[in-house]
Amino acid sequence: TGFLLLIVQYYLQAETYLIDASVMPLAPWQAIAIAIAALAAGWIVYDLLCRSALGRNTGLLALCVFAMILAAAYGFTHVFSGRGAFIHLGALIGTVMAANVFMVIIPNQRRITAALLRGEAADSKYGVIGKQRSLHNTYLTLPVLLMMVSNHYPMITDHPQAWLIAGLIVISGA
């Protein structure tokens, strides 16, 4: 439903809410393509970071994920309107969270359950991975909610350093 609302509010009315010609003059199709590509790229980069050797170092992984979110915030605020930037940062974080549940946590739980039902020992790596992603979702919950309601606060979304404010929201929320 969140993505449907994004389509209705931001993509079908891109000239009103997503595009700010003073930031970057874009055609609606360009802004929408950038937005959707960024959401997909955000999940891919995040997932690759978690699956890499960095995924075994909690502190370093957290720093890299924060840097990814901050880079996305910087990019969004230099491409979209303030409102469009913050809602898409929230959508990126929300996409990561939803994909964690549907592409990692639930499939890993099914693998563990299937092994136990067969009378086999469950591979603990699936539990470790699921715990990691679940913990990330926990820490990202408040920042994603704040990003989603930030559109009611133009002092945040229209601030010249809005991307830094977004970073502070992620840090304080986590």
Side-chain angles (χ1 to χ4, degrees):
T1 59
F3 191 70
L4 182 61
L5 288 172
L6 192 65
I7 291 169
V8 169
Q9 191 68 31
Y10 286 86
Y11 299 165
L12 294 179
Q13 302 177 61
E15 299 93 344
T16 305
Y17 294 112
L18 184 58
I19 299 168
D20 181 347
S22 69
V23 176
M24 183 176 282
L26 296 169
W29 72 268
Q30 292 171 315
I32 295 165
I34 291 168
I36 292 172
L39 297 180
W43 162 251
I44 292 167
V45 169
Y46 167 81
D47 190 53
L48 290 173
L49 284 171
C50 289
R51 292 176 190 268
S52 74
L54 289 172
R56 293 186 294 274
N57 184 327
T58 302
L60 190 55
L61 178 61
L63 186 61
C64 289
V65 170
F66 175 70
M68 180 196 83
I69 292 171
L70 198 58
Y74 182 84
F76 287 152
T77 58
H78 286 79
V79 173
F80 302 132
S81 69
R83 295 174 83 177
F86 269 74
I87 203 73
H88 278 85
L89 188 59
L92 183 139
I93 296 169
T95 299
V96 164
M97 293 171 70
N100 272 342
V101 171
F102 293 110
M103 298 176 77
V104 178
I105 296 168
I106 291 174
N108 284 356
Q109 287 177 334
R110 286 187 178 143
R111 287 183 186 103
I112 291 169
T113 302
L116 294 174
L117 290 173
R118 289 190 306 267
E120 302 169 359
D123 190 341
S124 64
K125 78 176 181 182
Y126 297 120
V128 170
I129 293 167
K131 179 184 174 193
Q132 176 195 55
R133 301 297 182 98
S134 182
L135 183 66
H136 293 175
N137 281 7
T138 299
Y139 284 120
L140 293 172
T141 299
L142 188 56
V144 79
L145 292 173
L146 291 172
M147 296 297 166
M148 294 301 177
V149 300
S150 68
N151 285 293
H152 298 289
Y153 304 99
M155 64 193 167
I156 294 173
T157 60
D158 294 340
H159 191 279
Q161 302 300 323
W163 64 278
L164 287 174
I165 294 172
L168 292 173
I169 289 171
V170 171
I171 289 171
S172 64

